């Protein structure tokens, strides 16, 4: 019986609480060589795509720029376009928001990237989170949360009109007579809606894929609905086997309810991997990494995001604060704060009491991303088990080191997945859509 194919992607470990910068092997997050090494390593491992997140403003905590952000956040399109020149087959996917950009501009940029990469472009659609981020822009935080997906729907509709506006044959195959473009085969883009009034023309034809691959990561009801209607792939944090199966079934069912083939919507949890020769060694290595990721100061800062107050006087190796959270605090800017901090603090206290955890130990426990920890054989077994059990279609790997965090996985785990017959031994197609087993981008 044929096995369900495993899809893998690589997340460039940018600014977050999983990246370890104190390790002596850690490199730069903004030097081009770092991007090149990770992308080429993932391509050597025959991954579907390289994924680059985007940050439009440095986070602030207690009125100061949060120190994990000061290394910088490069422009997504610039990096991906540069990577197109130094890679050959791996998909190049980036996060671009629909709140502070314009459809024409983004449609042109992704069409350009798709041309430069010979059909490897992917767009992770986000709606932006808050007015704090918007303060970097002329329009500021001009949308309520409820309106952001409505704008995203219109944004994508307009972008698709631009991608589809050059009819086949608009650029003749034979240009010997000097006629490079047939203007009669370029349709005017016209759109009138709540958020956009557009009258114009695309400046270039769509790329080899027709449309870039569309990805989405929202887990709210609105986010799931948007992804089920529009996305080719969805990112999720539901990474236990049981939760993954429930989420997978929900998203596939939603896609089917919109008249889509559920196989055309891929589900990707984000995970970390810790490898060693034995499972016991890997568990010890994982504990060491988590303590590198969550220093005492980081633990206090992360707990302050829940409590909404200054907790610098508390010992990170001591018990949780005995004061109550401030429900409407703005102590942290640029990160989504929990909707009910009082209830969350109560759960944290219950967990700390039941397991005798200090502040730092608790933060390590509650912020751990789903991990596959063990020998290469154990990790390969687990990845295959999740995919075959319909908990996901594959995984986005989030290494804790830049830029060498995927080297060992590609060298030691990928060959084992290939031996199981569940992972490719070569790229069968040239485009990101081909890697994912997707059909062409829908025309409007």
């Amino acid at each position: 019986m044929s096995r369900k194919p495993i899809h893998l992607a690589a997340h460039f470990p940018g600014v977050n609480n999983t990246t370890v910068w104190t390790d002596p092997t850690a490199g730069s997050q903004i030097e081009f060589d770092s991007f090149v090494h990770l992308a080429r390593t993932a391509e050597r491992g025959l991954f579907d795509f390289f994924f680059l997140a985007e940050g439009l403003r440095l986070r602030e905590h207690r009125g100061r720029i949060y120190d994990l952000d000061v290394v910088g956040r490069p422009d997504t399109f610039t990096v991906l376009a540069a990577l197109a020149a130094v890679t050959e087959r791996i998909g190049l996917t980036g996060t671009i928001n629909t709140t502070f950009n314009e459809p024409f501009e983004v449609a042109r940029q992704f069409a350009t990237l798709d041309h430069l990469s010979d059909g490897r472009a992917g767009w992770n659609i986000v709606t932006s989170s808050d007015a704090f981020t918007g303060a970097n822009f002329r329009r500021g935080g001009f949308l309520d949360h409820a309106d952001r997906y409505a704008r995203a729907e219109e944004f994508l509709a307009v972008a698709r009109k631009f991608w589809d506006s050059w009819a086949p044959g608009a650029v003749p195959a034979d240009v010997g007579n000097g006629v490079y473009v047939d203007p009669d085969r370029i349709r005017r883009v016209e759109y009138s809606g709540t958020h956009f009034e557009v009258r114009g023309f695309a400046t270039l034809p769509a790329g080899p894929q027709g449309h870039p691959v569309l990805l989405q990561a929202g887990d709210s009801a609105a986010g799931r609905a948007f992804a089920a209607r529009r996305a080719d792939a969805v990112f999720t944090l539901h990474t236990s086997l049981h939760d993954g199966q429930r989420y997978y079934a929900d998203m596939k069912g939603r896609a089917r309810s919109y008249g889509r083939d559920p196989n055309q919507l891929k589900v990707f949890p984000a995970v970390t991997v810790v490898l060693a020769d034995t499972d016991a060694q890997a568990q010890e290595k994982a504990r060491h990494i988590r303590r590198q990721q969550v220093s005492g100061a980081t633990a206090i800062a992360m707990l302050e995001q829940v409590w909404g107050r200054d907790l610098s006087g508390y010992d990170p190796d001591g018990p949780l604060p005995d004061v109550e959270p401030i429900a409407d605090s703005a102590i942290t800017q640029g990160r989504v704060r929990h909707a009910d901090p009082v209830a969350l603090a109560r759960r944290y206290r219950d967990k700390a009491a039941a397991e005798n955890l200090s502040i730092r130990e608790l933060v390590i426990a509650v912020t751990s991303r789903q991990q596959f920890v063990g020998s290469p054989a154990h990790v390969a077994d687990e990845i295959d088990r999740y995919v075959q059990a319909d908990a996901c279609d594959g995984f986005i790997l989030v290494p804790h080191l830049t830029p060498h965090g995927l080297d060992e996985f590609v060298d030691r785990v990928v060959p084992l997945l290939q031996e199981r017959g569940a992972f490719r031994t070569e790229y069968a197609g040239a485009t990101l859509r081909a890697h994912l087993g997707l059909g062409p981008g829908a025309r409007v």
Side-chain angles (χ1 to χ4, degrees):
M1 184 177 70
S2 63
R3 301 184 69 74
K4 182 179 170 185
I6 294 169
H7 295 278
L8 295 175
H11 182 286
F12 185 79
V15 181
N16 53 49
N17 292 112
T18 61
T19 308
V20 174
W21 303 111
T22 56
D23 191 289
T25 63
S28 170
Q29 188 239 340
I30 58 175
E31 290 180 2
F32 187 52
D33 285 349
S34 292
F35 294 102
V36 172
H37 181 88
L38 190 73
R40 283 179 168 172
T41 299
E43 186 170 63
R44 179 166 60 84
L46 304 175
F47 282 34
D48 290 9
F49 61 88
F50 169 94
F51 172 63
L52 184 62
E54 177 186 66
L56 296 179
R57 183 163 178 176
L58 300 180
R59 294 194 299 267
E60 294 181 13
H61 184 69
R62 282 201 273 145
R64 298 181 59 194
I65 292 176
Y66 192 49
D67 59 358
L68 290 182
D69 276 9
V70 296
V71 291
R73 294 185 172 190
D75 175 70
T76 299
F77 278 117
T78 305
V79 174
L80 294 181
L83 288 176
V86 296
T87 58
E88 296 179 356
R89 304 296 284 278
I90 193 166
L92 302 170
T93 298
T95 298
I96 298 294
N97 84 81
T98 58
T99 302
F100 302 112
N101 287 302
E102 293 294 326
F104 164 74
E105 179 182 38
V106 170
R108 181 176 63 163
Q109 289 169 316
F110 272 114
T112 300
L113 178 61
D114 210 44
H115 281 291
L116 292 176
S117 65
D118 294 323
R120 296 186 281 139
W123 174 16
N124 180 39
I125 301 171
V126 297
T127 60
S128 192
S129 59
D130 51 32
F132 172 78
T133 300
N136 266 350
F137 296 85
R138 173 176 59 87
R139 289 168 299 179
F142 70 104
L143 281 179
D144 291 333
H145 189 274
D147 296 327
R148 291 173 192 157
Y149 276 110
R151 178 182 167 94
E153 287 274 8
E154 287 194 20
F155 194 110
L156 181 56
V158 178
R160 282 175 161 168
K161 285 181 176 292
F162 280 113
W163 291 327
D164 294 340
S165 63
W166 286 47
V171 180
D174 180 7
V175 295
N177 60 4
V179 179
Y180 293 89
V181 175
D182 181 354
D184 292 333
R185 300 184 70 83
I186 302 175
R187 294 181 297 176
R188 180 188 298 272
V189 172
E190 297 190 6
Y191 183 90
S192 178
T194 302
H195 296 276
F196 300 105
E197 289 281 344
V198 176
R199 304 284 187 277
F201 293 92
T203 60
L204 77 168
Q209 296 185 109
H211 294 182
V213 169
L214 302 178
L215 304 101
Q216 211 272 331
D219 194 35
S220 65
R224 290 194 189 200
F226 181 81
R229 287 194 302 272
R230 309 300 183 200
D232 299 303
V234 58
F235 300 163
T236 172
L237 296 177
H238 297 270
T239 48
S240 72
L241 183 66
H242 177 66
D243 287 347
Q245 288 172 323
R246 290 177 58 190
Y247 180 83
Y248 187 90
D250 177 65
M251 292 307 301
K252 299 287 184 169
R254 287 173 184 260
R256 189 179 294 107
S257 73
Y258 289 115
R260 298 183 59 191
D261 177 354
N263 292 321
Q264 295 294 294
L265 176 63
K266 305 300 183 183
V267 176
F268 282 90
V271 296
T272 60
V273 173
V274 180
L275 295 171
D277 291 337
T278 69
D279 291 349
Q281 290 172 340
Q283 290 291 344
E284 180 57 36
K285 182 178 177 181
R287 283 190 289 270
H288 173 67
I289 290 170
R290 285 301 288 144
R291 290 189 69 81
Q292 286 182 299
Q293 291 168 326
V294 183
S295 66
T298 296
I300 292 296
M302 296 186 76
L303 204 67
E304 287 175 336
Q305 293 174 18
V306 177
W307 257 254
R309 62 167 75 232
D310 183 352
L311 302 177
S312 58
Y314 286 83
D315 179 2
D317 294 316
L320 266 63
D322 54 4
V323 294
E324 289 300 311
I326 300 173
D328 57 352
S329 170
I331 192 171
T332 299
Q333 299 276 10
R335 181 186 288 275
V336 176
R337 191 158 181 258
H338 302 283
D340 188 350
V342 174
L344 185 60
R346 187 180 306 115
R347 291 197 295 272
Y348 281 5
R349 286 195 179 108
D350 290 344
K351 182 176 180 66
E355 301 176 30
N356 193 29
L357 301 177
S358 68
I359 290 175
R360 187 179 183 191
E361 290 168 338
L362 174 77
V363 170
I364 288 173
V366 300
T367 62
S368 291
R369 189 185 295 271
Q370 168 69 25
Q371 293 181 309
F372 291 130
V373 179
S375 67
H378 173 77
V379 169
D381 284 342
E382 286 296 283
I383 288 174
D384 192 34
R385 182 167 72 97
Y386 273 60
V387 173
Q388 304 310 323
D390 285 342
C392 60
D393 293 299
F395 293 94
I396 298 176
L397 273 63
V398 185
H400 71 280
L401 287 178
T402 304
H404 298 283
L406 284 182
D407 294 12
E408 189 176 15
F409 181 91
V410 168
D411 292 335
R412 303 185 69 185
V413 178
V414 166
L416 299 179
L417 296 174
Q418 291 169 328
E419 288 177 6
R420 287 160 171 75
F423 191 68
R424 64 173 65 95
T425 56
E426 61 182 0
Y427 286 115
T431 69
L432 177 53
R433 287 191 172 276
H435 301 342
L436 291 168
L438 300 172
R443 300 181 69 85
V444 295

